């Protein structure tokens, strides 16, 4: 069995191939949280027609792309900043803000802490409580905010818990942060998968608050992790000016910029994605909840966190057994506040979800 130190990210299929001897093309990754429909059909159909565009530099302002994203997110295009994936924007923002003390809602994505530490800052965690199903308690959270904190980091919906904070609650957080001169970074990587997207996204708040920046990407919802196309939304023009001054020009290549314009207007693909994920999320949550060997936490994103209640099960053991069936789940033991009794998996096409559930349910019978 693979030991804890051999932790795998959803993109580490080459490592899996090397260690297990299973061809990466044969593995279904329930760990990567990528749209199972694959890329936009409109993108597949149209992108080849733009191949000659690589003979010229892209518009360094990406005006056409930003206007397309602004229409998609219902904001002003001047509030949009482009980046080589949201990861680059996280790094740029941290470098500019240089927070000395940040408060991160956890368990969550590790890149936030890494970037803050690289900038010489200290990270504190506000732990979501398992006994509350990892639901967010705004009143308790805001009671921990004070002037010693420079930055609050929120993944919404959160990875790996899949819980979400509603916009009306986010407004309360921003009010308290404003009083204490705290900036708020909200990662909305998974918000487009949520049934109640319009109640969750904080993009409308950028018109009223200058202490918030929202990060988005195309890796998960649009199934384009290799494209490295990310963007941020903020109403803080001083921050935008500084980011644009410090970031490298042409961080988005011509084909990526064109791809964005195509995929953001594929309304049929967007609707089919949301419908598929909504159906499978509800179905799988109900099935897992009905089995007393597991505890599933209510998901808002395209993945679900599950606690293993069976004493004979561990996340490492289950990962090992699943990968031998050519299915890769996420062992969550490396997340802060979680241990080897937690796994996470995303929702794929129904037939693959059924295969995963069959392995999950029958392995102990």
């Amino acid at each position: 069995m693979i030991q804890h130190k051999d932790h795998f990210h959803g993109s580490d299929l080459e490592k899996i191939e090397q260690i297990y001897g299973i061809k990466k093309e044969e593995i279904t990754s329930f760990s990567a949280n990528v749209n199972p429909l694959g890329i936009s059909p409109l993108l597949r159909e149209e992108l080849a027609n733009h191949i000659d565009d690589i003979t010229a530099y892209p518009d360094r302002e990406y005006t056409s792309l930003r206007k397309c994203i602004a229409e998609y997110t219902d904001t002003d295009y001047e509030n949009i900043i482009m980046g080589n994936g949201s990861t680059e924007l996280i790094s740029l923002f941290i470098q500019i803000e240089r927070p000395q003390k940040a408060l991160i809602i956890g368990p969550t994505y590790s890149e936030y802490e890494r970037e803050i530490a690289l900038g010489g800052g200290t990270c504190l965690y506000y732990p979501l409580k398992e006994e509350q199903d990892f639901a967010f308690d705004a009143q308790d959270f805001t009671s921990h905010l004070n002037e010693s904190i420079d930055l609050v980091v929120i993944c919404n919906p959160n990875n790996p818990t899949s819980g979400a904070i509603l916009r009306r609650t986010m407004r309360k957080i921003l009010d308290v942060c404003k009083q204490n001169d705290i900036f708020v970074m909200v990662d909305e990587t998974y918000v487009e998968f949520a049934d109640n997207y319009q109640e969750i996204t904080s993009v409308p708040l950028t018109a009223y608050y200058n202490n918030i920046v929202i990060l988005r990407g195309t890796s998960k919802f649009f199934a384009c992790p290799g494209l490295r196309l990310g963007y941020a939304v903020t109403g803080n023009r001083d921050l935008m000016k500084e980011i644009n001054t410090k970031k490298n020009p042409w961080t988005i290549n011509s084909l990526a910029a064109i791809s964005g314009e195509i995929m953001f207007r594929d309304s049929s693909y967007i609707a089919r994605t949301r419908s598929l994920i909504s159906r499978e999320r509800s179905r799988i949550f109900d099935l897992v909840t009905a089995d007393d060997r597991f505890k599933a936490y209510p998901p808002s994103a395209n993945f679900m966190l599950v606690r293993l209640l069976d004493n004979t099960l561990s996340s490492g053991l289950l990962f090992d057994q699943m990968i031998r069936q050519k299915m890769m789940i996420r062992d969550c033991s490396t997340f802060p506040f979680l241990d080897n009794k937690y796994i996470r998996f995303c929702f794929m096409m129904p037939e693959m979800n059924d295969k995963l559930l069959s392995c999950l349910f029958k392995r102990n019978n």
Side-chain angles (χ1 to χ4, degrees), residues 123-135:
C123 293
L124 305 176
Y125 275 94
Y126 174 83
L128 300 172
K129 298 178 175 61
E130 192 282 331
E131 58 268 26
Q132 296 176 357
D133 287 350
F134 297 108

Side-chain angles (χ1 to χ4, degrees), residues 83-319:
N84 189 247
S86 58
T87 304
E88 183 197 37
L89 292 168
I90 292 171
S91 180
L92 274 170
F93 174 73
I94 296 300
Q95 288 173 25
I96 289 168
E97 288 295 310
R98 298 188 64 83
Q100 294 305 299
K101 184 185 290 185
L103 183 61
I104 304 174
I105 297 176
T108 197
Y109 182 48
S110 61
E111 189 66 19
Y112 314 131
E113 180 179 1
R114 175 182 170 276
E115 288 293 339
I116 292 165
L118 284 174
T122 300
C123 293
L124 305 176
Y125 275 94
Y126 174 83
L128 300 172
K129 298 178 175 61
E130 192 282 331
E131 58 268 26
Q132 296 176 357
D133 287 350
F134 297 108
F136 180 72
D137 184 337
Q139 184 173 351
D140 184 67
F141 175 73
T142 53
S143 72
H144 289 76
L145 299 176
N146 57 65
E147 292 180 352
S148 72
I149 297 169
D150 305 303
L151 176 69
V152 163
V153 181
I154 303 172
C155 185
N156 193 38
N158 186 42
N159 175 20
T161 62
S162 203
I165 299 171
L166 297 180
R167 184 163 66 247
R168 64 173 182 265
T169 302
M170 193 69 75
R171 182 185 286 270
K172 296 176 182 178
I173 295 169
L174 286 168
D175 285 337
V176 177
C177 286
K178 190 72 172 174
Q179 293 168 12
N180 290 281
D181 197 24
I182 301 171
F183 210 95
V184 181
M185 183 172 72
V186 181
D187 185 345
E188 288 194 350
T189 293
Y190 299 103
V191 74
E192 291 141 293
F193 290 107
D195 283 339
N196 55 340
Y197 164 82
Q198 293 295 347
E199 297 177 3
I200 297 173
T201 179
S202 293
V203 169
L205 298 179
T206 59
Y208 308 100
Y209 294 87
N210 67 354
N211 63 327
I212 181 173
V213 62
I214 298 164
L215 305 171
R216 294 264 193 102
T218 57
S219 295
K220 307 302 183 180
F221 189 84
F222 289 97
C224 293
L227 204 59
R228 308 314 305 142
L229 178 62
Y231 60 98
V233 186
T234 183
N236 189 318
R237 296 300 166 85
D238 290 336
L239 174 63
M240 289 194 66
K241 182 178 179 180
E242 192 163 4
I243 289 179
N244 284 322
T245 298
K246 293 187 175 180
K247 74 183 182 73
N248 294 324
W250 304 299
T251 56
I252 309 299
N253 68 61
S254 299
L255 293 184
I258 292 165
S259 297
E261 293 190 48
I262 296 170
M263 70 176 73
F264 284 118
R265 59 182 170 87
D266 193 344
S267 56
S268 174
Y269 166 82
I270 291 167
R272 285 191 296 116
T273 297
R274 287 177 173 157
S275 177
L276 169 66
I277 296 302
S278 180
R279 290 196 309 272
E280 289 302 285
R281 176 170 49 222
S282 178
R283 180 176 77 93
I284 295 169
F285 177 74
D286 288 345
L287 288 170
V288 176
T289 299
D291 192 310
D292 61 10
R293 292 172 298 172
F294 309 100
K295 179 177 180 179
Y297 302 93
S300 292
N302 64 323
F303 54 84
M304 187 167 70
L305 181 68
V306 176
R307 184 182 178 190
L308 310 176
L309 302 179
D310 186 335
N311 290 332
T312 67
L313 283 176
S314 71
S315 55
L317 175 65
L318 202 53
F319 176 93

